[in-house]
Amino acid sequence: MPRNDSTKNRKQTSICPPLLGCCAPSPAFQDRPLLSFLDAVKVMALFKVLANDTRIRLVHHILRSGEATVSELAKTLGMKPQAVSNQLVRLSDTRMLSSRREGNNVYYRVANGCVAPLLELALCLMEDERREKSSEA
Amino acid sequence: MPRNDSTKNRKQTSICPPLLGCCAPSPAFQDRPLLSFLDAVKVMALFKVLANDTRIRLVHHILRSGEATVSELAKTLGMKPQAVSNQLVRLSDTRMLSSRREGNNVYYRVANGCVAPLLELALCLMEDERREKSSEA
DNA sequence: GGAATAATACACAATGTCGTGTAATAGTGT
DNA sequence: ACACTATTACACGACATTGTGTATTATTCC
């Protein structure tokens, strides 16, 4: 007998709306077929690239400044240019960034409009998490 | 007043708008301070949890069905319950999912409204990537 | 109480990822 | 051609992550 009306069953604690008017409007998740394994792997690859504090700071700084060179980014993050270049290549492989050469320097910029809102949402989730943790006695 | 012509720069190939009306409206990236290392680590932790094909399929299926038990998810993904449970715990640790016990079964659901749009955006980015790759001769 | 089912905890081998160090490539100026 | 700077390519050791197998906990039914 189901007797557990579980008070733990809280409501949606987030402030975020469930949908966002981005990209070609897709039907709700309920009306879509289950994600195929191959598509899941592709999405995984995208999140994997963002699952690194160095790359997140790189993207964040490039979003702020519009464009930046490798050495400038290295100096900003306090890292070696090799390490930064490594991560920039990974970000470019997924078409999140694009590069442009000008003399000795290579300028990187964000090449896809989805990247900014993606980071925005993650920051939002981080705030939600912080809120919930502090409000749990 | 922020400039709004930045998206039309060059090769912005994405359809996605630069901003989304989600969460407390934040100022544009240009007007925000550089992301601290600690915040970057927190955001990394969030993306890291989504950087796994199993967890992505779990979240996607839970979004579709609203709620699901461990064994049901295991059967749907063709995996062992231990593996599924492992990943569900990771998703719950970041407050993306919450669980509710009903008899022998434990039901998982999405606990934060940011999760759906986050996955949505990633799917959008995946489509963009596919589009670009096919259109490069 | 005892058996059966659902879910989780834990240790482990295989695999993946990170920054570093070294070497190579691209471009500028003399 | 040469020296110099900026960036990238590549191999390596340190460390993290995944699914599996085994054992344990939670709950229902007899």
Side-chain angles (χ1 to χ4, degrees):
Chain A
M1 254 186 223
R3 54 163 178 61
N4 195 358
D5 277 351
S6 171
T7 55
K8 192 188 170 189
N9 184 9
R10 315 218 155 115
K11 292 159 205 160
Q12 296 271 85
T13 47
S14 170
I15 309 173
C16 303
L19 291 176
L20 56 99
C22 177
C23 313
S26 305
F29 278 109
Q30 298 97 320
D31 304 331
R32 276 187 265 176
L34 186 61
L35 200 61
S36 77
F37 173 72
L38 273 167
D39 277 347
V41 169
K42 288 179 195 163
V43 176
M44 171 190 69
L46 294 178
F47 281 125
K48 216 165 213 168
V49 174
L50 291 172
N52 175 272
D53 56 295
T54 297
R55 289 192 289 268
I56 288 172
R57 288 195 296 162
L58 286 173
V59 169
H60 188 260
H61 184 261
I62 294 175
L63 278 172
R64 278 166 32 85
S65 57
E67 260 189 349
T69 67
V70 178
S71 49
E72 181 198 329
L73 288 164
K75 197 179 293 182
T76 305
L77 302 201
M79 295 182 65
K80 310 211 168 184
Q82 304 103 295
V84 169
S85 178
N86 270 335
Q87 308 310 333
L88 288 172
V89 166
R90 285 169 174 272
L91 285 163
S92 300
D93 284 344
T94 59
R95 322 251 166 170
M96 292 188 188
L97 299 186
S98 64
S99 57
R100 166 179 74 89
R101 177 139 219 158
E102 191 173 314
N104 273 339
N105 296 323
V106 174
Y107 289 84
Y108 280 88
R109 58 161 50 202
V110 174
N112 189 301
C114 287
V115 175
L118 206 57
L119 185 54
E120 194 79 63
L121 268 174
L123 289 168
C124 168
L125 232 167
M126 184 187 74
E127 288 298 332
D128 280 3
E129 201 176 354
R130 180 180 299 165
R131 234 189 311 279
E132 286 187 50
K133 273 180 183 161
S134 64
S135 77
E136 92 189 350
Chain B
M1 176 138 62
R3 331 171 16 162
N4 51 357
D5 57 343
S6 55
T7 42
K8 307 200 167 172
N9 275 352
R10 314 199 155 202
K11 290 206 162 184
Q12 282 285 62
T13 46
S14 170
I15 310 173
C16 301
L19 291 177
L20 54 99
C22 176
C23 314
S26 305
F29 279 108
Q30 299 97 318
D31 303 330
R32 276 186 265 175
L34 186 62
L35 199 61
S36 77
F37 174 73
L38 273 166
D39 277 347
V41 169
K42 287 179 195 164
V43 175
M44 170 190 71
L46 294 178
F47 281 125
K48 214 165 214 168
V49 173
L50 291 172
N52 175 273
D53 55 294
T54 296
R55 289 193 289 267
I56 288 171
R57 288 196 295 162
L58 285 173
V59 169
H60 188 259
H61 183 262
I62 293 174
L63 277 172
R64 278 166 31 83
S65 58
E67 261 190 348
T69 68
V70 177
S71 50
E72 181 198 329
L73 289 163
K75 198 178 292 182
T76 305
L77 302 201
M79 296 183 64
K80 310 211 169 184
Q82 304 103 293
V84 170
S85 178
N86 270 336
Q87 309 309 333
L88 288 172
V89 166
R90 284 169 175 273
L91 286 163
S92 300
D93 283 345
T94 59
R95 324 250 167 171
M96 292 188 188
L97 299 186
S98 63
S99 58
R100 166 179 75 89
R101 178 138 217 159
E102 191 172 314
N104 272 340
N105 297 324
V106 174
Y107 288 84
Y108 280 88
R109 58 162 51 200
V110 173
N112 189 300
C114 287
V115 175
L118 206 57
L119 184 54
E120 195 80 64
L121 268 175
L123 288 168
C124 168
L125 232 167
M126 183 186 74
E127 289 298 333
D128 280 3
E129 201 176 356
R130 180 180 301 164
R131 234 188 312 277
E132 286 186 50
K133 273 180 182 162
S134 65
S135 75
E136 88 190 354

